[in-house]
């Protein structure tokens, strides 16, 4: 079972996977494969890869900040975090991987193991549940796209699905923070679309979206259990009413 318990461990997972990749691949193909994206199209269209690399650099910054707070000698980890940062900031993402692979030396891997061991574990989330939810989302989305549905409900459901899918894709990099962020984005998306949605909401479809959010909260475990926005969103879902009407009522204040 893959361990995603803290920033050090997540970066270690990624570094170990990148280190095993073939030297002759492009950097775009390597990072696509490591980060769960479509590797074949990554060289011609590296947009998604670059987005994930930005997220990965942010996690590296967080790792360095957390380690500096640990009071251990910076010489034991800062140079090696810098090596990883160099590899995830490629000057030419279409260049062959042998230009960047040397950054992942045995010493770099050892330093990341050191970080993973020192940093405290975050509250546990279930990656297995997240992977199962991703399969459910993909199946539901395929069925949705095969219908003639369009309009506000369709646009809302598609955007909500994408938010949840992004959280699951980002989890191996950002951990439970990716799930917390999804609830904030999902709530904001509902608020932005509620006025258009309220007159044309197909509640049988949006109820399914609510089920996916419940699954995401369950998979997030303790990391999102006390999150105010997550609880507010699940509260709307559990009322069994129109999500749009629920959002408008919430924004309008007590009746």
């Amino acid at each position: 079972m893959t361990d995603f318990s803290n920033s050090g461990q997540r970066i270690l997972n990624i570094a170990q996977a990148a280190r095993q990749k073939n030297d002759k691949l492009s950097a775009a193909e390597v990072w696509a494969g490591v980060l769960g994206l479509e590797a074949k199209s990554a060289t011609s269209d590296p947009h998604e890869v670059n987005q994930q690399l930005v997220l990965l650099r942010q996690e590296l910054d967080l790792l360095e900040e957390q380690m500096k707070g640990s009071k251990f000698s910076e010489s034991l980890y800062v140079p090696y975090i810098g090596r990883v940062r160099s590899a995830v900031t490629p000057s030419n993402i279409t260049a062959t991987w042998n230009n960047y692979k040397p950054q992942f030396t045995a010493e770099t891997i050892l330093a990341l193991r050191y970080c993973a061991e020192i940093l405290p574990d975050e509250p546990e989330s279930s990656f297995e549940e997240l992977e199962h939810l991703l399969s459910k989302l993909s199946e539901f989305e395929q069925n949705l796209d095969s219908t003639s549905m369009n309009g506000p409900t369709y646009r809302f459901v598609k955007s909500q699905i994408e938010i949840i899918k992004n959280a699951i894709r980002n989890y191996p990099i950002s951990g439970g923070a990716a799930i917390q962020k999804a609830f904030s984005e999902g709530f904001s998306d509902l608020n932005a679309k509620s006025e258009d949605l309220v007159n044309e909401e197909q509640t049988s479809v949006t109820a399914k979206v609510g089920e996916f959010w419940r699954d995401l909260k369950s998979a997030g475990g303790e990391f999102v259990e006390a999150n105010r926005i997550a609880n507010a969103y699940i509260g709307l879902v559990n009322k069994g009413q129109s999500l749009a009407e629920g959002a408008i009522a919430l924004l309008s204040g007590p009746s």
Side-chain angles (χ1 to χ4, degrees), residues 11-248:
I11 298 297
L12 174 62
N13 296 341
I14 291 167
Q16 288 178 316
R19 193 180 184 213
Q20 300 302 316
K21 293 296 183 179
N22 190 305
D23 293 15
K24 296 180 180 179
L25 294 172
S26 71
E29 289 175 299
V30 167
W31 285 122
V34 169
L35 300 173
L37 303 173
E38 174 54 56
K40 289 183 180 180
S41 61
T43 302
S44 59
D45 184 12
H47 176 69
E48 284 190 327
V49 175
N50 282 322
Q51 283 185 318
Q52 292 298 93
L53 291 180
V54 168
L55 191 66
L56 185 50
R57 287 194 291 275
Q58 291 172 349
E59 194 67 17
L60 281 166
D61 291 343
L62 176 61
L63 171 59
E64 186 169 333
E65 180 183 338
Q66 290 175 331
M67 285 301 298
K68 286 181 177 178
S70 71
K71 307 303 181 184
F72 285 84
S73 172
E74 292 184 14
S75 65
L76 296 174
Y77 59 87
V78 168
Y80 303 101
I81 292 175
R83 288 184 180 182
V84 180
R85 189 179 285 112
S86 295
V88 302
T89 315
S91 56
N92 181 3
I93 202 166
T94 62
T96 53
W97 184 234
N98 61 4
N99 289 280
Y100 304 103
K101 188 174 180 177
Q103 302 292 352
F104 296 100
T105 62
E107 290 81 6
T108 300
I109 299 299
L110 182 62
L112 292 174
R113 288 187 184 279
Y114 171 82
C115 295
E117 193 72 24
I118 286 173
L119 293 178
D121 288 350
E122 298 168 1
E124 188 174 353
S125 300
S126 173
F127 189 55
E128 290 73 23
E129 287 184 38
L130 290 173
E131 289 183 310
H132 180 60
L133 174 55
L134 187 60
S135 296
K136 288 170 63 175
L137 286 164
S138 296
E139 181 181 357
F140 178 76
E141 191 171 26
Q142 288 173 4
N143 292 334
L144 184 71
D145 289 342
S146 67
T147 70
S148 59
M149 182 184 293
N150 53 38
T153 296
Y154 178 81
R155 290 191 292 272
F156 169 71
V157 170
K158 289 286 285 187
S159 63
Q160 294 277 297
I161 288 174
E162 192 60 27
I163 289 168
I164 300 173
K165 286 169 69 174
N166 281 338
I168 298 171
R169 293 190 195 105
N170 295 345
Y171 178 81
I173 300 174
S174 305
I179 303 176
Q180 287 185 333
K181 183 180 179 183
F183 277 97
S184 178
E185 292 179 347
F187 207 0
S188 295
D189 181 61
L190 171 60
N191 291 340
K193 292 183 171 68
S194 58
E195 293 287 352
D196 292 333
L197 187 64
V198 68
N199 294 321
E200 297 186 41
E201 181 178 357
Q202 298 183 36
T203 55
S204 62
V205 179
T206 57
K208 192 68 177 177
V209 172
E211 178 185 314
F212 296 142
W213 283 110
R214 282 194 294 267
D215 288 347
L216 185 65
K217 186 171 186 290
S218 173
E222 292 179 31
F223 213 102
V224 297
E225 189 65 37
N227 183 267
R228 179 177 57 83
I229 295 177
N231 284 319
Y233 208 178
I234 295 301
L236 282 180
V237 167
N238 288 339
K239 286 181 179 178
Q241 66 189 84
S242 158
L243 280 177
E245 291 177 354
I248 290 171

